[in-house]
Amino acid sequence: MSYQQQHPHAPERPVTAVQLNHTAVYASDRHLSAEFIAAILGLTVGAPFGPFLPVDLGNGVTLDYYEKRDEPIQSQHYAFLVPDARFDAMTARLEAVGVTYYADPSHTEPGRINRLFGGRGAYFADPDGHNMEIMTRPYIRP
């Protein structure tokens, strides 16, 4: 939910840079997929917004889960920058629900994490096969 939706009587904040506000995530079952990622990341699922089921990431961006049943879901990649202090709890939640995490995006190093850019990271599949990534340090780009 956007700032304006959460605070309908507040003046709209000025936008000074291009920002990602939301993205649609296709799912065969929007409730299952939204609840899955919210549980792993320690977030909550918001109220339905039209055909979307939002998961607010806490930085003004929402994942808007959209149910698509008429064709196969095309796997996408979603990367989440997470607090280092919460990383272990996230991998523990993955283990608790029987989801394997991997050190690499190709999922060849099961049960391991990476230490890219001085942080920690892991990849895992959501219920529709989207390649999810949690990382504690952003990538260093040239």
Side-chain angles (χ1 to χ4, degrees), residues 78-101:
Y78 299 91
F80 305 95
L81 183 61
V82 303
D84 189 71
R86 295 174 56 191
F87 184 85
D88 291 333
M90 292 176 190
T91 56
R93 287 192 284 268
L94 286 166
E95 290 173 353
V97 296
V99 174
T100 303
Y101 58 86

Side-chain angles (χ1 to χ4, degrees), residues 37-97:
I37 199 63
I40 298 306
L41 298 178
L43 303 172
T44 58
V45 176
F49 181 70
F52 303 104
L53 194 57
V55 176
D56 185 343
L57 299 178
N59 64 342
V61 178
T62 59
L63 298 179
D64 291 339
Y65 280 86
Y66 179 80
E67 205 155 288
K68 187 173 179 126
R69 294 188 177 201
D70 56 343
E71 59 187 75
I73 304 298
Q74 177 68 40
S75 177
Q76 299 292 318
H77 175 65
Y78 299 91
F80 305 95
L81 183 61
V82 303
D84 189 71
R86 295 174 56 191
F87 184 85
D88 291 333
M90 292 176 190
T91 56
R93 287 192 284 268
L94 286 166
E95 290 173 353
V97 296

Side-chain angles (χ1 to χ4, degrees), residues 4-16:
Q4 197 63 35
Q5 290 167 327
Q6 291 174 357
H7 306 92
H9 302 293
E12 192 167 328
R13 293 188 298 189
V15 176
T16 59

